[in-house]
Amino acid sequence: MFIKKYIEQETINRRDLLLASACGLGGVAAAGLLGPGMARAAIQDPTIAWSYRNRTNPYWNEIVSGGEAFVESLGMSKDALVHLINEGSSEKSLADVKALLAKTNGDLALAIDTNDAPNARPVVEACVDAGAYVSTLWNKTDDLHPWDFGDNYVSHMSWSDEGPAEQTARILLEAIGGKGGVVHLGGIASNNPAIERLNGLKNALKDYPDVELLDAQPADWDTQKANQVMSSFLTRYGDEITGVHCANDTIGYGVLEALRAEGISIPIVAYDGNPQAVELVAKGEFLVTVFTNPHWGGGITASLAYHAATGAFRPSEEPHEHREFYGPTIMITPEDALEFKANYLDSVPTYDWTDFWGPSNGQIKYK
Amino acid sequence: MVAVRTTNSPTLPDNPRHGIVLEALVKWAPLLVLLVLIAFFALMEPRFLSIRNFARIGISSSPALMVAIGVTFVILMGSIDLSMEGTVSVSAVLFAFAFLALGGTLASLAWLALPVALIVGAIIGFINGLIHIRLRIPSFMASLAMGFVGTGFALLITGGDRIRIEDELFRSLLTVRWFNFPIMCYVAMALVLVAWFIQSRTKLGRNFYAVGGGEELAHASGLNVGRVRIMGFMLAGAFYAVGALLAVGRIGIAETATGNNFMFVSITSVVVGGTALWGGIGGIWNTVVGVLIVNVINNGMVVIGLPGFIQDGVLGLLVIVAVFLSTDRKSVSFVK
C-alpha cells in the first residue's frame, strides 16, 4: 500500500519537473502555432478511443461500457472502440495517446481521463497539434479551457461532489433525529472527490449543532479497509455512533458488513449509485446513494469528440457551458430505488448520444 | 533484503550464558513486541482491551493470517511468492461462481465449491513453482508476474462485476459466534494447527527448512530441491485460497479487488514475526504473532484516534523497529 502510494507520488513529482522545464521551452514556440481557426476539415471516419485507468474498478467499467454503447450506436461492433489503459500512470497515458496519434495520423476522436490534472495539458496539446479531437473527463487544471484551443479540445466534464454529499449528509442527519454522533469513512485522502465528499458532510453538520462528527478516517475506496476501519470505530465509540457517512458505495459495503458482524443496524449513506448499492437502498440497508450515471458520462464524452471530429457540430460556436460542464447527479432513496433500478440498471437505457448536454448539470465553477 | 548467513558464527559471545539469554530474547522478541503494543494501546484507550475488540482484531486478522502462513512456507525455503493478490482474487471469484452455480447454499452440493477454491489456489501455486524451477526464473519475478496474470484473469471472468454470496450458512463464518469470537477465527486457528503440523511433523516441512537453510547441502544429500520448491508453492497457493474464502466470508463479496493489499500485509507480517527473508529461520508461530502485530497496530491506531495521514507512517516505523528487534544480526554477516 505504502509502496504504491510512494511510487505514485514520485512519478508525479518527477513528471512535474519535466513538465515545468518543457513548458518553459516549448510553451513559447507552441503559442504561435495554436489558436482558433487551426482546426482542419472534418474527419470522415475517425478512430474512436477511450483512455482510462483500468477496468477492475466498477466505476471505470461503467464509463467504458458507455463508450462501447456509443460506438455500437454508430452501427459498429463494440470492439471498434480503442482502449488505452494507463494503469494509473500519467506517463503511460500520454505516451499511449502520442502513439495512437502517430498511428492514426491525427484522425482520432479521443475521450480521456488523463489520470491526474497536470497531465491534461500535454495530452490536449498533443491532440491539438495532430489535428485530433479530444474530450476530457474528471482531471484537468483550472487554467486549461477547451475554448482556448478552437475546435479540437471539444469539452470537459466533471462532477462536483460537495453538493450531493451534503444532501446525503442531510438525509442521514434527519434520519438520526438531528442528534447523536456520526463517523465518516473517506476515499484516498488526497483524492479530490474524497475531499469534496467530506466537505459536503461538514457543510451539512453546520446546521445540526447537536450532531458530533466523532471521527473521519480514509478507507481508500476499499471495501476490506472500510470493514476494518469501521470495526475500529466501533471499539472507540461504540454506541455513540448513530449514523455513518461513506464516501462511496464500496466503502459502504464494508461498513455494512462490519455492523452486521456485531448485530448493529444504524443508518448508512453512500455515493456512486452502483447497482448493488441501489439494491441495498431498495432493501433499506442503505439510506441513500448518489448516481452520477458513469455510463452516460463515458458515452457522451466519446460522442462529443466523435461528432466534433466529423463536423456534425462546431465546438467553437457553442457557449462555454457546453464546453465545460458538470455531469448528472441523481439521489436514490428507498422510495424511488426500485423504479430507478428498473429504468437504469435492469435495462440500460438507450441514450440519444447526440443530446450532448441534456442531462448535464451546468457550467463548471472554479473556487 | 537478501542476507547471507555465515554457517559458523565467527563472533561467538565470550560468555556462553549471555549468549543464551540473547538468543532467547531474539526468539521471543516478536511476542514481546506484540505484548508491548497491546499494553501501549490499552493504556492510551482502555476500550482497546475488550473481548469485543479482540474479536474485531480476530476478524480482520483471519484472512491475512491464512495468506501469511502460505507465504511463510515459501519464505522458509528462501524463495519469495508475490502472487497472493492474484491468487486470492482468482480463488475467490471462481469459488463464488462455482458456489452459485451448484446451488448457492452450503446445504446443497455447493459445498463442493470450497475444495474447488483450494484446488484452484494449489494449481496457481503449481504453475508458479513450475515457472520458477523449469524456466529458472527467480521466484520473485515468476510469482509477481503470475499475480498480475491472476488479477487479469479474475477481471476477465467477472467483467469487473462483484459477486454477492448471501447464503446465511456460509456467512455464519462471520455472523455466528462461539465464546464471542466468530467461526472464521476458529477456522483460522484450526488451519494454523494444520500448518504447524505440516511444518514440524512431516517430511515436507523439514525439507522446507533444509532447502532454506542450505540449498546446496540439501541437494548434495539427495533431496529433490525443485520438487520441494514446487510443493511449497502449491501449499502456499492452497492457503491463499483459504484466505480468499475467509475474505469472501467476511464481506460477502467476491471480486477482483478481493486480493487487494494482501501482499503488503502478509509479507510485512511474516517479516515482523521474525521469519528471515533468506530462509531457514522462523515458522508458523512467528507468522501468527506477526499478523497479530500488524492488525493490532492497524486497529489500535484508529482506536486511539491517530489521524489517518499519520497511521501509514507509524506503521512503517513500527515495522522497522519490529524487524530490528526480532532479527538476530549476529548470525548474519552482511545484508544487501
Side-chain angles (χ1 to χ4, degrees):
Chain A
M1 193 173 70
F2 289 131
I3 303 170
K4 226 191 268 169
K5 256 190 212 157
Y6 173 77
I7 292 175
E8 259 170 37
Q9 203 86 51
E10 280 301 289
T11 45
I12 290 170
N13 288 344
R14 189 154 47 87
R15 240 241 2 257
D16 281 352
L17 192 71
L18 288 176
L19 256 183
S21 49
C23 278
L25 291 174
V28 184
L33 294 172
L34 299 174
M38 261 288 290
R40 58 178 168 174
I43 304 167
Q44 279 289 311
D45 187 20
T47 300
I48 309 168
W50 235 118
S51 167
Y52 55 100
R53 180 176 287 255
N54 63 36
R55 249 186 141 149
T56 323
N57 181 305
Y59 179 81
W60 284 105
N61 191 34
E62 280 293 307
I63 292 263
V64 179
S65 69
E68 287 171 341
F70 163 66
V71 169
E72 281 175 329
S73 78
L74 297 174
M76 296 187 260
S77 124
K78 71 177 179 187
D79 298 332
L81 181 71
V82 176
H83 298 257
L84 303 179
I85 293 168
N86 65 41
E87 291 291 358
S89 153
S90 302
E91 285 92 340
K92 187 168 187 309
S93 161
L94 181 58
D96 284 356
V97 167
K98 285 186 170 165
L100 190 63
L101 284 169
K103 187 183 164 208
T104 58
N105 199 19
D107 293 347
L108 177 66
L110 175 69
I112 185 168
D113 170 36
T114 56
N115 186 56
D116 64 18
N119 192 37
R121 186 173 285 278
V123 164
V124 165
E125 287 178 352
C127 290
V128 172
D129 287 349
Y133 290 79
V134 58
S135 285
T136 52
L137 192 75
W138 277 117
N139 280 299
K140 78 167 184 60
T141 48
D142 290 354
D143 62 345
L144 182 75
H145 302 291
W147 49 80
D148 293 335
F149 292 88
D151 288 326
N152 291 72
Y153 185 5
V154 182
S155 67
H156 175 77
M157 173 157 59
S158 188
W159 280 265
S160 166
D161 294 348
E162 210 168 300
E166 184 178 332
Q167 272 179 275
T168 65
R170 285 181 190 282
I171 292 172
L172 176 72
L173 298 173
E174 281 301 317
I176 62 174
K179 58 179 190 296
V182 293
V183 289
H184 171 85
L185 291 91
I188 295 171
S190 58
N191 282 177
N192 206 32
I195 297 165
E196 289 186 344
R197 291 174 194 187
L198 177 56
N199 282 344
L201 170 65
K202 286 179 178 166
N203 289 346
L205 279 167
K206 284 176 195 151
D207 296 336
Y208 293 84
D210 294 335
V211 180
E212 191 190 349
L213 177 59
L214 296 168
D215 210 336
Q217 295 276 357
D220 301 352
W221 313 117
D222 184 85
T223 307
Q224 316 239 11
K225 173 103 192 260
N227 187 268
Q228 286 164 22
V229 171
M230 189 63 215
S231 27
S232 305
F233 278 162
L234 287 174
T235 300
R236 183 165 166 79
Y237 304 104
D239 298 336
E240 290 173 55
I241 305 173
T242 52
V244 188
H245 189 263
C246 304
N248 79 344
D249 293 338
T250 44
I251 291 173
Y253 308 145
V255 168
L256 187 64
E257 293 301 328
L259 294 173
R260 178 180 297 185
E262 313 262 344
I264 302 172
S265 172
I266 51 176
I268 304 169
V269 297
Y271 202 110
D272 278 352
N274 286 336
Q276 191 186 334
V278 173
E279 280 169 30
L280 289 170
V281 172
K283 281 191 209 160
E285 298 194 51
F286 280 179
L287 207 54
V288 63
T289 182
V290 181
F291 184 63
T292 53
N293 208 345
H295 182 89
W296 181 80
I300 210 68
T301 304
S303 172
L304 277 160
Y306 174 83
H307 285 104
T310 57
F313 79 107
R314 276 184 71 98
S316 55
E317 287 166 4
E318 296 293 334
H320 282 190
E321 67 257 33
H322 285 178
R323 307 291 296 275
E324 278 185 3
F325 51 88
Y326 287 121
T329 45
I330 305 171
M331 292 280 149
I332 303 161
T333 53
E335 298 84 62
D336 48 28
L338 285 178
E339 189 192 334
F340 173 84
K341 184 170 177 290
N343 289 343
Y344 283 89
L345 304 178
D346 293 342
S347 58
V348 177
T350 320
Y351 291 102
D352 173 5
W353 295 117
T354 55
D355 177 15
F356 302 127
W357 303 286
S360 69
N361 227 347
Q363 188 178 346
I364 293 175
K365 293 182 196 74
Y366 299 97
K367 279 183 187 160
Chain B
M1 204 153 93
V2 181
V4 174
R5 282 169 73 230
T6 46
T7 39
N8 220 337
S9 178
T11 51
L12 269 175
D14 301 333
N15 180 350
R17 272 188 61 200
H18 182 223
I20 293 167
V21 171
L22 200 74
E23 202 173 285
L25 192 68
V26 167
K27 189 177 172 195
W28 293 101
L31 192 62
L32 279 177
V33 169
L34 178 62
L35 294 177
V36 166
L37 281 171
I38 292 176
F40 170 74
F41 286 125
L43 222 63
M44 299 288 289
E45 172 64 66
R47 273 180 278 196
F48 176 85
L49 212 56
S50 62
I51 294 286
R52 289 182 77 82
N53 193 44
F54 285 145
R56 287 166 194 143
I57 294 173
I59 294 170
S60 72
S61 304
S62 298
L65 178 59
M66 295 298 98
V67 175
I69 282 181
V71 79
T72 302
F73 290 124
V74 178
I75 291 178
L76 277 180
M77 298 187 297
S79 301
I80 187 94
D81 185 350
L82 301 178
S83 69
M84 56 281 280
E85 298 195 348
T87 310
V88 166
S89 297
V90 172
S91 308
V93 165
L94 287 181
F95 160 75
F97 275 123
F99 190 78
L100 295 179
L102 291 170
T105 164
L106 275 188
S108 69
L109 272 180
W111 67 269
L112 282 169
L114 299 173
V116 165
L118 298 193
I119 291 167
V120 167
I123 289 175
I124 299 176
F126 178 71
I127 300 173
N128 261 333
L130 218 56
I131 294 174
H132 168 43
I133 298 298
R134 295 271 177 246
L135 301 184
R136 294 179 169 274
I137 294 176
S139 56
F140 160 76
M141 211 55 236
S143 60
L144 186 65
M146 269 308 285
F148 288 136
V149 171
T151 306
F153 182 63
L155 182 61
L156 190 72
I157 48 185
T158 56
D161 288 335
R162 33 184 77 226
I163 309 155
R164 274 192 80 85
I165 301 291
E166 313 222 13
D167 177 31
E168 287 299 323
L169 216 51
F170 180 69
R171 294 306 309 283
S172 64
L173 272 174
L174 176 75
T175 52
V176 175
R177 292 184 181 226
W178 297 330
F179 305 106
N180 293 313
F181 284 85
I183 295 179
M184 62 192 291
C185 294
Y186 296 96
V187 172
M189 276 195 264
L191 278 148
V192 167
L193 294 179
V194 170
W196 176 69
F197 179 82
I198 294 173
Q199 172 195 295
S200 58
R201 295 278 183 276
T202 65
K203 206 169 124 189
L204 185 65
R206 287 196 297 276
N207 285 345
F208 289 154
Y209 281 95
V211 171
E215 180 162 354
E216 269 131 49
L217 196 65
H219 184 70
S221 339
L223 185 65
N224 185 342
V225 174
R227 216 179 98 112
V228 172
R229 283 199 191 276
I230 292 179
M231 295 284 279
F233 277 97
M234 282 177 71
L235 193 59
F239 270 94
Y240 299 160
V242 179
L245 294 177
L246 295 187
V248 174
R250 183 172 60 186
I251 56 171
I253 297 169
E255 55 174 335
T256 315
T258 305
N260 284 5
N261 290 333
F262 275 112
M263 192 195 299
F264 177 75
V265 169
S266 60
I267 302 276
T268 307
S269 302
V270 170
V271 173
V272 166
T275 297
L277 277 175
W278 47 90
I281 306 170
I284 300 307
W285 296 110
N286 293 75
T287 299
V288 173
V289 173
V291 169
L292 288 176
I293 289 177
V294 170
N295 280 286
V296 160
I297 291 173
N298 272 332
N299 172 281
M301 283 192 302
V302 179
V303 169
I304 66 172
L306 271 185
F309 54 89
I310 296 182
Q311 290 177 15
D312 285 350
V314 171
L315 186 63
L317 286 178
L318 287 174
V319 166
I320 294 175
V321 171
V323 173
F324 175 76
L325 289 179
S326 62
T327 315
D328 178 6
R329 245 146 294 274
K330 283 265 166 64
S331 68
V332 175
S333 56
F334 58 91
V335 178
K336 53 184 176 182

